[in-house]
Amino acid sequence: MPDVNITVDGKKVTAPAGTLLIEACKTVGIEVPAFCYYPGLSLQGACRMCLVKVEKMPKLQTACTTVISEGMAVTTDHEEIHQARKSMVELLLGNHPLDCPVCDAGGECELQDMTFSYGASESKYTEAKNHKEEQQWSPVVFFDRPRCILCYRCVRVCDEAMDVAALGIQNRGSGSVIAPNMGDHLDCEECGMCIDICPVGALTSGAYRYKTRPWEMNHVATACTHCGDGCKTTLGVRRSETGMEIVRGDNRDKSGPNGDFLCVKGRYAFDFANRTDRLTQPLVRRNGKLVPVTWDEALTYVGQKLAEIRSQSGGASMGVIGSNRTTNEENYLLQKFARVVLQTNNIDHQRTADFAAFAAALAGRPDATASAREVFDAPAILLIGNDPTEQHPLLAYQIRNNVRLHKARLYVVNSESVKLRRQATLFSQIPSGSEAAFAAFLAGGDVANGANRDEWNALRDQLRKETGLVIAFGSELRGASIASLNKFALSVQGAKLICLADYANSRGAADMGVYPDLLPGYVPLIQGSKFKAEWGTLPDAAGLTLPGMVDAAKSCKLKALLVVGANPVFRMKLDPATFANSFLVVQDLFLSETAAVADVVLPAASAYEKSGTFTNTYGDVQLVKQAGEITGTKSDFEIIVRIAERMGYDVAKLVPFGSGSRADMGQSRGAQSGEADRHAVWLEAQGLELKMNPFDPTAVFDEIQRLVPGYQVSRLNLMAGNDQHTRLDQNGGGAVGDPALIQPANDGLFSSGSTGRYSKTLNTVMENRNRVEMPKVAAD
Amino acid sequence: MADLVSHPDEIKVVSKRFGQGAADIDRYLALDGYKAAQKALPMTPDAIINEVKTSGLRGRGGAGFPTGMKWSFVPKDSPKQKYILCNGDESEPGTCKDRLILEHDPHSVIEGVMIAGLAVNAESGYIYIRGEYRYLSIIMQKAIKDAYARGFLGKNIFGSGKKFDVYWHGGAGAYEVGEESALMESLEGKRGIPRIKPPFPAVVGLWGSPTVINNVETLASAPHIILDGAQKFADYGTPKNGGVRLFCLSGHVNKPGVYELPLGYSLKKMIYEVGGGIPGGKKIKAVVPGGSSTPVLTADEIDIAMDFDGVAKAGSMLGSGGVVVIDESTCMVRFAQYIMKFYQHESCGWCIPCREGTDWLKKTLDRFHAGGGVKKDINNIQYLAENMMGRTFCPLGDAAAMPTISIVTKFRKEFEDHLEGRPCPYDPVGSVRLLPVLSH
């Protein structure tokens, strides 16, 4: 678009044609206030706060609906404008309860800010204010009508951005009111976007209300710990008896790939971390019962036992199961621990997508993966399998809003009539299980028979005409099918791929080599000379897969098993006696089904209580920051290092931490809103080395950046809290394994594996209770 | 059925078939009905628009926008379907002219819609009738049905091979829907909330298509312009204010009713001669010149010509032609309160100044009139109205603010007479009853 020149308060502004005046003003730092205007949502012109003077126009104009035109001369700072804004605020305050001292929004309220800026100190009215009782619309959404200023943001975000349309406007005039479209309650996804976007305290969250004042919280920017999308979130954290309590999650600053979006899990399901039945003391089985012991006792016992089994039966008799939810550093450390300390390749995790085959298919094309941000800008998207609305809420949000705002073309191929079909240019419903056949067809095959033939041909022709197509596929496609899809992608100009996995760090677990046959970065064992050079000797033969370890345990060949953040007994529906003959060590948050049959249970910190990085399913690596700590727990990282130390291993070899005194990385005392980052950024800018201790994941991230192909992202950007897209397998590698090894969790919007079971919110929202039970098992 | 009135000064154009049974299609045809549409059929769209431009016809809904110009704004090259929309949501207090047209001469509206359709290449038209005018929609339904039966509407109008459909739609009882874009929202089945302009309806209107939206009287004038010639119509009025229009004379006059008078007719003459003066020989206190939303004129300001420019010069608006005469026995505070009660009830609630402003004005005026007012209320009433003025989303806010500002500035003394616990001097008993808590 050609640029248009205007002047605002005498300043020259140049912006593309079609820019709204309110946005053009922002570019030169002139703030035009508004309640109803919200970027990305439809225009309202309802609050009349953004009135400005435009030369040659008799009346004041709303900057939010005025499109700039060449030569336009605008005044935003004028007595008439100030008076207009002041009178709007006065009118709003007329019926506003002014219960700011007890209002959740107090201190974060746009009406307060406007009153502060434009002044409306005098009350002009004698009549009583209109009062209405507060309503509860769902376990998490409360509505306080007198506080509502009718900006309609909630109605629009629900309808336009979420495609849920659970809210509407009822009545007219001064009786106008926001109301659920389903009588007295919400029938929705419970995403809480309406609460988040509310400029005042009219919509409040059941999880947060009356718990704190905004300025009493620590605000910790981290990544969500649930699905694979990796939304950035800012946690509101208070101190409590247990150490900390997270009371709020939002992404109000719109940093991260998700903008201000969070789903029900991201917004509320951190609450599992606050549970009082968290494990806070190590447990050791004595006389058949798990009894609490000190950390020292437990770690010494584990170290001795593992060392003993290693020397008696060898590394091949031991196994390690990793997690989809531990950090990259922990996953990396865990596989390194398995290989160099336990001397075994028997390490695996619950694979929810076939990243090994994905890496193999994309070998030599390290930039062929799309980031979460790219989904929002892509001119066209092909979605095969999966139901992002349920399983990848951010992906669904990005697709939906790309279609709405940028007119992207969406092609959906699915066996179910998924909700995203509503945004689709073309929706093809295929028989369940025929996703692989479709991938083969795309790669150049033909359809032998079937009603879909003409439809598929037309779709393939249309897809080939696209440029910059983003292809996202669910776990329905595995192994060779992914190679087929990649072959098709090569025929579309600029096509990029996304492999969808279920949990917050499923991709990270895969990238970090939590595989029996692949080293970090999908490097096959035989090509691991780079790793051997740093780590020393490694076992050469491929280890046992997860089902292989279970079989070995059943046949008494598995003498020891370390389970970190996983719950195979529940997940794989195992007989609890499966591990009766193995020395079973479990690191977990709760006494899970697997922990209940363990010999030693070590209470782990959740992802909210430690630092590190996560890699989302798109390959975007993000910082995970410690929000606080639960007394008695330790991070999996620390636990692994301490076990290695008790086994007599030189931890400096395991964690190459720098020399010098303990670094002030915030790690040990709870990161205080970015202070550690600033310190790190400063150090890096000065060309100085960070000083670290053996429990500092940053030391391992150094090694990851040195050894793992694709992770050479900007450290500075990462530390500053930005998501950084990794490259997938620059050197060639990966492996096409047994498709049966892929066991997707099929979590929906209101479930999240084992942690979801401990979330009060997820278990109380009505939509979850009413939901038809999906055939699902928890993955970890 | 309203009683019809007449006066020798009237030039009956739009009202010429009133009282002659023209709702019946045969009777309408006998009275030159549908001749204009047939005359327009072979004309080019530009020729029709030029005729309307020459006639000087300006919108009769209230804003007075030149009709020919409005029609010419419809993009000729747009591939989209185009629509004609007849605004029959007549709700302005003091206005009752469209009601007579729809009752006595519904076919002229259909014919006007057809002519507008021919002028902009539209193939369908909608006649939106105010919800409260239910009996008129029954008349209109019959008229449309009859026109279809005769082949005047449908796939082959008058055997010309051209297609034109007319539909009617009933409102649900909202004054706000008289605003053109809110009317389109309502017709589309949504809440009656105005739209952001631009784009204007001529480019993006009903269902996103170019749309001409005109008042009933404007469209009913079109057949007369086409049939009798534009110049003849123009000559009835004053320069730039072509034609005659229906004035709805009400309030304190001896002979209230709808009179069709040439534009530029003297307001004083209209009240004293056409309307037969004030009952009981009382004096005039104020006159509302064009529906309740226009600023009131005092008795000293009524010696003006009733055309768009003449009334504007006097600081008010010709509006919808609803002339309301208020005699000296009327309390102006009560009048302001009465108007505000209407606007508060009819505000759609979309934007802050109108939603909150009308509500506070109503509450304040209610209390004030009943004797509960304090001195700062007078300034506050003015302050509220002035801060609504020009800042609302649609003209309804102005419609509520304008009369209020004019009353509080021109009749400030009457407000002061209510002060300090004094109930209304014109109706002390009635007003105190309104305010049991604050009264003495």
Side-chain angles (χ1 to χ4, degrees), chain A residues 35 43-49 51 59-60 65 80 83-92 94-95 122-130 148-150 152 169-176, chain B residues 172-176 191 196-198 344-360 363-364 367-368 374 376-377 380 383-384 387-388 390-395 398 438:
Chain A
F35 288 115
L43 303 179
Q44 308 287 284
C47 76
R48 319 305 286 175
M49 284 300 291
L51 290 170
K59 286 182 181 181
L60 297 179
T65 61
E80 187 185 353
Q83 177 52 41
R85 291 174 184 165
K86 182 181 169 190
S87 70
M88 293 311 149
V89 174
E90 278 168 356
L91 286 166
L92 284 176
N95 268 322
E122 190 191 351
S123 180
K124 292 192 185 312
Y125 315 117
T126 310
E127 277 68 27
K129 291 169 189 281
N130 296 333
C148 177
I149 61 167
L150 289 162
Y152 316 117
I169 310 158
Q170 288 179 358
N171 306 335
R172 74 177 185 204
S174 55
S176 297
Chain B
Y175 170 80
E176 176 57 23
R191 279 168 64 81
I196 293 168
K197 288 184 253 182
Q344 190 269 348
H345 182 252
E346 293 296 346
S347 168
C348 77
W350 186 248
C351 69
I352 294 169
C354 176
R355 177 182 73 231
E356 305 291 335
T358 53
D359 196 38
W360 284 113
K363 284 179 183 170
T364 309
R367 169 171 50 82
F368 198 95
V374 290
K376 74 165 191 177
D377 285 329
N380 198 27
Y383 175 88
L384 274 167
N387 280 290
M388 284 166 66
R391 291 173 191 164
T392 52
F393 188 93
C394 81
D398 293 352
L438 288 176

Side-chain angles (χ1 to χ4, degrees), chain A residues 55 57 127 274 291 379 390-391 396 427 509 512 586 619 657 680 732 751 756 758 764:
Chain A
E55 204 177 63
M57 301 270 208
E127 277 68 27
N274 302 340
V291 292
E390 288 284 328
Q391 296 169 272
F427 170 59
M512 293 304 122
V586 173
F657 62 99
S751 60
Y758 294 96
T764 50

